[in-house]
Amino acid sequence: MTTEQWILLIKRLILGVLTIFAIASVTLSLLQSLGQPQIQSRLELYQTNLLLHASEWQGKSTPQESKPDLKAAQNALLGDKPLKTALEQYQDARKSAQTTQLNIAAQLKEVSEKLAQFEGIEDADTSVPDEVKIQLQRSKQQQQLQGLLSQVKRLIDELDLRIGVLQAQQGDKAAAIKTWNQFTPSSAPAIDGLSVTKDSIVQTAQVLIGLWSEPRRLLPDAEPQIQKNLDGWFRYRALAKLYQLQQNQDALVSLQAKEQAMAEQAMFKLALIGGIPGVGGVLGVGLLIFLIVQRLLQGKQSLLATNSEAPWETPWNWEIIWQVFILGFFFIGQLLLPTLFHLLGLNPGNYDVRMKAFYVLVSYLLLASGGFLVLYFSLKPFFPLPEDWFRFKWRSNWILWGLGGYFVALPLVILVSLFNQELWQGQGGSNPILPLALEGRDSVAVFLFCLTACVAAPMFEEIFFRGFLLPSLTRYVPVWGAIIVSGFLFALAHLSLSEVLPLAMLGIVLGIVYTRSRNLLASMLLHGLWNAGTLLSLFVLGSGSN
């Protein structure tokens, strides 16, 4: 073999090993996401909290003649029985949390049993070093699972407090008291404050029982307990009941004024997060029908048929595609950067939300920079590239393609998401940036999240998946096949099992927009609009959670 052949063989061996690692890493991440809750479940509770606030809106500043119209609009936005709807949502969330609790408990039991098998192993026993390492790893895993189990138990307790308030507000005091009576003080020693927290929730449950039972019982620390363990609408309802029993009219009037201000804001926020996808979805359905009818009537002269069968002129073979995808995306993102951050001692779990947002942005910029370098040096031998590659045509109709693609994507992704929710039943994980954005209250963090999701991500992912991968695949499969394959790889790259189908649908729409427009600006605009809409919903829901 010549030197050149040896180099080629070594390169293929390295790529083969990295491919095995990439497949194993992606598979492990997807399997791990199975036991994690979807953010959609949390979003539904956040939206339910807004709905509860909005249900208290009385519109006192509204003219009397407009009150019937106001009530009709409120019913259209909230439904006829918002409390019943909210109770069902919270009960569903509790069932989902119980499922998660059982899964974590089963994993914890399995790890604990395996640890027990190695209790007799001494660190100094050099004959079983591998077993010692496994024992240490399992011990760390056991601690992580115990922490997760404690968090889920805390969540279930918090949900039970709120379920009881909803039951009481609907007049079912017996069910509410039964729900609160299931709390019992913890007799176990405090571990990381867990039993202290448990006892605090028990005290709050006793306060609520006193407020709604017959005869009434006012505990001396009622208000601090309500303030500590209840928030939003639930806190308002409990405090209103307390002030009524205390005959504290001044505090009650002040509370009602604050609640009306919150209710008015909630109505606006619900209209905003429901109106944008609602109006956009209707426009999208109309546009989709128009495009389908036009395709049937005009055939190859229609918009959907534009460039639909025209492959790119691809001068490189499958090996370059393999090299760019494995090295430029998975090697850098799944191995190089995590190893580098570990060696630097960076632990984002200890950061506040602003530092986490900065960490996410820097991580993404490093991933994009490394990916672009791999892409550049992989394609350099083929310069100059054919005309259709990586085109940014400012003087074209890319804005129309991007906006049209966004409107069409809305109903399609929503439809797939509804099926997806039924399929995964609240499990399957979510993009880790979404909970950070949902809980973010820092303006700098919000700006950094927007910069990452609405600028950096669309630029890198569109150049990588639509600009390079999709056209390269047209050397081997038809354009429609390249759109589907690149769409699913785009979805899998997000490493969340529950998001594969919705993101694949979004990736397919992005692919159609790019293949028809032959302009990366169009798919970047669509991608940026989609992420911006998602972040807007998260920020609005998060801001109305308390």
Side-chain angles (χ1 to χ4, degrees):
M1 293 178 63
T2 64
T3 303
E4 188 174 316
Q5 289 174 324
W6 274 110
I7 293 174
L8 180 62
L9 177 61
I10 293 172
K11 186 186 81 169
R12 288 177 175 174
L13 286 173
I14 293 173
L15 284 175
V17 171
L18 291 176
T19 301
I20 294 172
F21 168 79
I23 294 173
S25 177
V26 170
T27 303
L28 181 61
S29 296
L30 292 174
L31 290 176
Q32 287 177 339
S33 71
L34 269 175
Q36 299 171 358
Q38 291 183 36
I39 194 174
Q40 184 65 31
S41 302
R42 293 176 61 186
L43 291 182
E44 289 173 356
L45 286 186
Y46 275 66
Q47 190 163 348
T48 298
N49 292 342
L50 278 179
L51 181 146
L52 288 170
H53 276 302
S55 68
E56 302 296 330
W57 188 41
Q58 299 173 2
K60 292 182 178 180
S61 60
T62 305
Q64 192 65 33
E65 61 272 13
S66 301
K67 288 291 179 71
D69 295 335
L70 171 66
K71 188 63 179 176
Q74 194 173 20
N75 287 340
L77 190 61
L78 308 180
D80 294 333
K81 299 179 180 179
L83 291 183
K84 181 180 179 182
T85 302
L87 179 58
E88 290 172 353
Q89 290 281 6
Y90 268 86
Q91 288 172 335
D92 287 344
R94 192 188 190 282
K95 290 178 183 177
S96 177
Q98 281 185 307
T99 301
T100 303
Q101 181 184 22
L102 292 174
N103 290 338
I104 295 174
Q107 294 178 45
L108 182 59
K109 181 181 179 182
E110 181 181 352
V111 171
S112 300
E113 288 175 350
K114 290 179 178 178
L115 270 173
Q117 298 174 5
F118 294 99
E119 284 182 353
I121 296 178
E122 299 286 340
D123 287 346
D125 187 353
T126 57
S127 63
V128 284
D130 292 338
E131 285 80 357
V132 173
K133 291 179 181 177
I134 293 172
Q135 184 189 23
L136 293 174
Q137 290 173 354
R138 285 176 177 156
S139 178
K140 184 177 180 181
Q141 186 182 5
Q142 184 185 46
Q143 293 175 1
Q144 292 173 341
L145 289 171
Q146 287 171 339
L148 285 173
L149 192 60
S150 298
Q151 292 174 20
V152 174
K153 287 180 179 177
R154 163 76 182 185
L155 172 62
I156 292 173
D157 288 342
E158 291 174 346
L159 291 173
D160 282 336
L161 284 181
R162 287 155 178 76
I163 287 171
V165 175
L166 286 166
Q167 290 169 330
Q169 284 301 113
Q170 292 184 83
D172 195 352
K173 296 179 183 178
I177 292 172
K178 182 179 179 181
T179 298
W180 294 323
N181 266 327
Q182 68 184 336
F183 291 102
T184 55
S186 173
S187 58
I191 301 175
D192 296 333
L194 178 59
S195 66
V196 175
T197 301
K198 174 73 174 179
D199 290 341
S200 176
I201 289 182
V202 172
Q203 292 170 18
T204 305
Q206 292 302 312
V207 167
L208 296 175
I209 291 172
L211 292 177
W212 267 278
S213 62
E214 295 291 347
R216 306 285 194 266
R217 299 195 316 272
L218 291 179
L219 300 184
D221 61 343
E223 186 167 350
Q225 286 297 327
I226 291 171
Q227 296 278 8
K228 182 177 182 180
N229 289 313
L230 290 174
D231 56 17
W233 178 87
F234 301 95
R235 180 186 293 172
Y236 280 117
R237 297 278 57 78
L239 287 176
K241 189 74 172 178
L242 175 66
Y243 296 153
Q244 288 171 0
L245 295 177
Q246 291 175 336
Q247 297 183 345
N248 189 343
Q249 194 63 25
D250 291 340
L252 184 60
V253 170
S254 175
L255 181 71
Q256 289 172 342
K258 291 178 182 178
E259 185 174 36
Q260 284 304 300
M262 178 68 78
E264 189 171 350
Q265 293 177 16
M267 285 289 290
F268 172 75
K269 290 174 180 178
L270 283 173
L272 181 64
I273 61 176
I276 292 177
V279 174
V282 171
L283 289 174
V285 170
L287 183 56
L288 190 59
I289 293 173
F290 166 77
L291 291 172
I292 293 173
V293 171
Q294 187 196 47
R295 180 71 172 88
L296 293 174
L297 294 177
Q298 298 183 10
K300 294 186 177 181
Q301 302 301 316
S302 64
L303 287 171
L304 278 180
T306 305
N307 297 319
S308 62
E309 298 178 2
W312 275 257
E313 182 186 341
T314 306
W316 49 83
N317 61 12
W318 61 270
E319 196 165 345
I320 296 297
I321 305 173
W322 179 31
Q323 175 178 301
V324 171
F325 202 67
I326 294 299
L327 288 180
F329 197 87
F330 287 104
F331 170 70
I332 293 175
Q334 298 296 308
L335 182 61
L336 184 61
L337 289 180
T339 302
L340 177 62
F341 292 152
H342 176 73
L343 293 175
L344 293 174
L346 300 179
N347 183 11
N350 298 327
Y351 297 162
D352 59 21
V353 68
R354 183 181 296 188
M355 282 303 299
K356 285 180 179 177
F358 182 71
Y359 176 86
V360 169
L361 177 60
V362 171
S363 300
Y364 206 92
L365 291 177
L366 289 173
L367 170 63
S369 300
F372 286 147
L373 281 174
V374 171
L375 181 62
Y376 172 78
F377 285 109
S378 297
L379 302 188
K380 188 177 179 181
F382 305 97
F383 287 174
L385 299 180
E387 183 182 358
D388 271 357
W389 283 89
F390 304 108
R391 294 182 71 181
F392 293 86
K393 298 181 289 185
W394 292 95
R395 295 183 179 181
S396 67
N397 56 355
W398 61 275
I399 294 179
L400 293 177
W401 276 107
L403 286 173
Y406 174 72
F407 289 133
V408 168
L410 274 172
L412 293 176
V413 176
I414 289 173
L415 186 63
V416 172
S417 297
L418 292 175
F419 168 76
N420 203 56
Q421 277 291 99
E422 293 298 318
L423 179 65
W424 295 108
Q425 295 294 312
Q427 301 300 304
S430 297
N431 190 321
I433 194 177
L434 299 183
L436 296 177
L438 182 64
E439 297 167 2
R441 303 288 186 274
D442 187 289
S443 57
V444 175
V446 169
F447 172 75
L448 293 175
F449 283 133
C450 289
L451 196 60
T452 303
C454 304
V455 180
M459 287 183 64
F460 172 62
E461 292 175 12
E462 291 313 302
I463 289 175
F464 205 88
F465 286 95
R466 257 63 63 180
F468 169 74
L469 181 62
L470 190 158
S472 298
L473 291 174
T474 61
R475 176 168 176 168
Y476 300 99
V477 296
V479 173
W480 63 266
I483 291 173
I484 293 174
V485 172
S486 62
F488 272 94
L489 288 174
F490 166 74
L492 289 171
H494 287 77
L495 304 178
S496 174
L497 201 57
S498 69
E499 294 182 337
V500 169
L501 291 180
L503 286 177
M505 176 55 71
L506 178 62
I508 288 170
V509 175
L510 285 163
I512 292 173
V513 167
Y514 178 57
T515 55
R516 272 53 174 179
S517 66
R518 298 294 164 115
N519 191 346
L520 280 170
L521 291 173
S523 60
M524 285 181 181
L525 175 61
L526 164 53
H527 199 150
L529 286 172
W530 187 269
N531 287 355
T534 301
L535 285 183
L536 177 63
S537 297
L538 292 173
F539 293 143
V540 170
L541 288 173
S543 67
S545 62
N546 293 320

